[in-house]
Amino acid sequence: MSVNDFVPADSKLEAVTRLSALVGAPPEGLGPGSKERKTLLVNLAAALGLTVDTDADKPELARQISTLLGMAWTPDCWSAGHTITLVGLNRLLSGTHREVKRRETLSQGSSSRHPVPARSKLEAVTRISSLTDGPPQTLGPGSKERKSVLTDLADGLGAPVDVTLDKPRLAEALVNHLGGSWDDSCWSTGSTITLEGLNRVLIGAERRLKADSPVVGGMFSSPAKEAQALLAVVADAVPVRMDGRRSVEEMHAAESRHWAQDEWRGFYFEHIALPALVNGFGGGPTTVENTVFDYSLGEIWDLKCHGDDSPAAILNACEAIDTCLKTRGFGLLVLEGTTVLDDGEFREWQREFRVANGRPPKPRSRPAAYERRSKVAFVPARLDAFFFEDGRSFELAKEEGLVTVMSQGRQTDGSPRRPKYVLQTAKAEGTRFHVAHLPLPVR
């Protein structure tokens, strides 16, 4: 099985989050009007040690960076209003990916494993909570760390510290117990721990716990631990209600390749969840034998949105999943919820929106057999993770009727579609393959 490391971003939002993650820069998102911020380019150049004119406008600064990375900068890389297009961002992403891999190859041969600090407070608290048997953690109100992150860690370590101390003093006690140092850069007013302080807790705890464990490798000690952390981050990105029109318009504004798809809810879930995961932990999409899988960190995961209008979730093509499972595991992060239907008004709006934005319908080889009701909205209810460690475990799931094969109909041009696997989600719940579950609060 060959794994191709680079996969182009499907939207500008995905591109900026992956660029910042590649070089360890602060997490990025899009600014007003779904435009990339100049700080993305400034931080990218600084992280790579590139000599550029940071006073230049965005397209010129991006051209300088692209040239230094050995990538051609062509007119389709930018547009009016000093805006970089998805083509341009992918050019930067490809060049940066290649340069980072080149530097990693040059640095190989050193036997020491350097600690990897978290890039954000969200990443820090999720990684800290995954080290012990405590529940997954995210940030509290005001993007502040919860004290329970520290008390859970103290319990898990069996550390002789006073858990009634306020957050900064408790964190300091933990760092001292772990053999680290603590100073004024580790906390701020309002009993808040800075990213520097959380990283000192994280790195000290990882060194202690991983030194005592036979498990060596990525951020998380097991697929279940990884799944729990991923779901916690995705939960913060999922809105209370996914409105069809707003979702399609948002994807179009961000130049997503999938804004015109009929099944908008699944593509919108990927649109918001993938950047959240990349900003939280790094990682990103990967390709196995020319098939893209949505997210790869320690394990490979696909993102799926499943509504109550169907008893099963449709997965990737059978041959792609079979190939992946020959050498490693495969997991699913599934958003479950209620699909809101109308009598076709949304579908009509979607058709008009496509035509207005240069996407007229493709001619069909034959008329549609019937006209379905349209999915106007989706109300998320919970997140679930399923994981299959190898081909044998996947075969067992098929034998138990948890995974079936779906023969697809033909494309609009009449050509055949490849068969896909289907996960029977209701049957799979509570089985050994169901590794994480997170109800979404009503907000």
Side-chain angles (χ1 to χ4, degrees), residues 25 47 98 143 189 196-197 254 278 280 399 425:
R98 183 174 61 190
S143 296
T189 56
E196 174 64 25
V278 174
E399 290 173 10
T425 54

Side-chain angles (χ1 to χ4, degrees), residues 1 288-289 293 299-300 315 317-331 387-398 403 421 433:
M1 178 184 69
V288 178
E289 300 292 358
F293 288 82
E299 306 294 346
I300 285 182
L315 312 184
C318 296
E319 60 184 338
I321 294 176
D322 290 341
T323 300
C324 177
L325 286 165
K326 288 178 181 178
T327 57
R328 63 184 303 179
F330 165 69
F387 186 77
F388 307 93
E389 61 185 14
D390 52 26
R392 177 54 185 156
S393 67
F394 199 68
E395 285 300 317
L396 289 173
K398 288 195 285 185
V403 175
Y421 282 124
F433 307 111

Side-chain angles (χ1 to χ4, degrees), residues 116-437:
V116 180
R119 297 166 51 246
S120 68
K121 295 179 77 171
L122 177 58
E123 178 185 344
V125 299
T126 52
R127 285 172 60 185
I128 290 169
S129 64
S130 76
L131 292 172
T132 63
D133 291 329
Q137 295 272 3
T138 56
L139 297 175
S143 296
K144 290 187 177 182
E145 67 290 339
R146 295 180 171 92
K147 185 178 178 180
S148 54
V149 174
L150 303 175
T151 56
D152 286 349
L153 179 62
D155 290 342
L157 291 170
V161 295
D162 181 1
V163 294
T164 64
L165 294 171
D166 61 26
K167 281 192 300 184
R169 292 175 64 198
L170 177 54
E172 179 180 8
L174 283 167
V175 169
N176 290 337
H177 170 71
L178 294 166
S181 62
W182 188 266
D183 55 45
D184 289 345
S185 68
C186 298
W187 64 283
S188 62
T189 56
S191 295
T192 298
I193 304 171
T194 62
L195 177 58
E196 174 64 25
L198 288 172
N199 267 324
R200 295 194 190 186
V201 174
L202 171 65
I203 290 170
E206 283 187 337
R207 281 175 173 158
R208 171 71 58 84
L209 292 170
K210 291 189 177 182
D212 295 340
S213 170
V215 177
V216 178
M219 291 181 182
F220 304 102
S221 60
S222 70
K225 286 283 189 181
E226 182 168 307
Q228 290 165 6
L230 299 184
L231 293 190
V233 168
V234 170
D236 279 352
V238 173
V240 176
R241 177 186 172 95
M242 290 160 48
D243 177 79
R245 293 194 185 195
R246 284 196 294 269
S247 300
V248 169
E249 289 170 343
E250 182 181 323
M251 287 191 287
H252 177 263
E255 298 184 31
S256 168
R257 301 181 193 275
H258 304 298
W259 66 267
Q261 295 285 349
D262 284 339
E263 294 298 328
W264 62 268
R265 62 183 184 179
F267 289 106
Y268 184 69
F269 176 50
E270 294 173 12
H271 176 73
I272 58 176
L274 179 56
L277 291 170
V278 174
N279 268 341
F281 305 106
T286 193
T287 299
V288 178
E289 300 292 358
N290 298 320
T291 296
V292 175
F293 288 82
D294 294 323
Y295 187 67
S296 176
L297 192 61
E299 306 294 346
I300 285 182
W301 304 91
D302 252 357
L303 298 163
K304 296 296 174 184
C305 183
H306 175 235
D308 59 352
D309 54 315
S310 170
I314 301 173
L315 312 184
N316 263 347
C318 296
E319 60 184 338
I321 294 176
D322 290 341
T323 300
C324 177
L325 286 165
K326 288 178 181 178
T327 57
R328 63 184 303 179
F330 165 69
L332 299 160
L333 306 179
V334 184
L335 176 65
E336 303 269 6
T338 301
T339 302
V340 181
L341 302 172
D342 67 11
D343 291 326
E345 295 87 352
F346 171 73
R347 182 183 297 105
E348 186 60 33
W349 172 86
Q350 196 175 23
R351 288 170 178 164
E352 293 173 357
F353 188 77
R354 289 171 182 159
V355 171
N357 288 281
R359 289 285 187 90
K362 294 180 181 179
R364 300 184 64 95
S365 61
R366 65 188 68 180
Y370 59 93
E371 192 78 0
R372 296 175 296 174
R373 299 176 70 189
S374 53
K375 300 167 184 175
V376 67
F378 183 78
V379 182
R382 67 184 188 276
L383 288 159
D384 289 292
F386 302 89
F387 186 77
F388 307 93
E389 61 185 14
D390 52 26
R392 177 54 185 156
S393 67
F394 199 68
E395 285 300 317
L396 289 173
K398 288 195 285 185
E399 290 173 10
E400 295 171 16
L402 308 180
V403 175
T404 56
V405 177
M406 180 185 74
S407 297
Q408 299 197 93
R410 294 184 175 273
Q411 306 275 10
T412 54
D413 62 3
S415 60
R417 300 175 191 250
R418 295 186 298 172
K420 291 187 173 185
Y421 282 124
V422 173
L423 177 68
Q424 306 294 332
T425 54
K427 284 186 178 181
E429 288 177 15
T431 67
R432 60 190 177 282
F433 307 111
H434 190 193
V435 295
H437 172 74

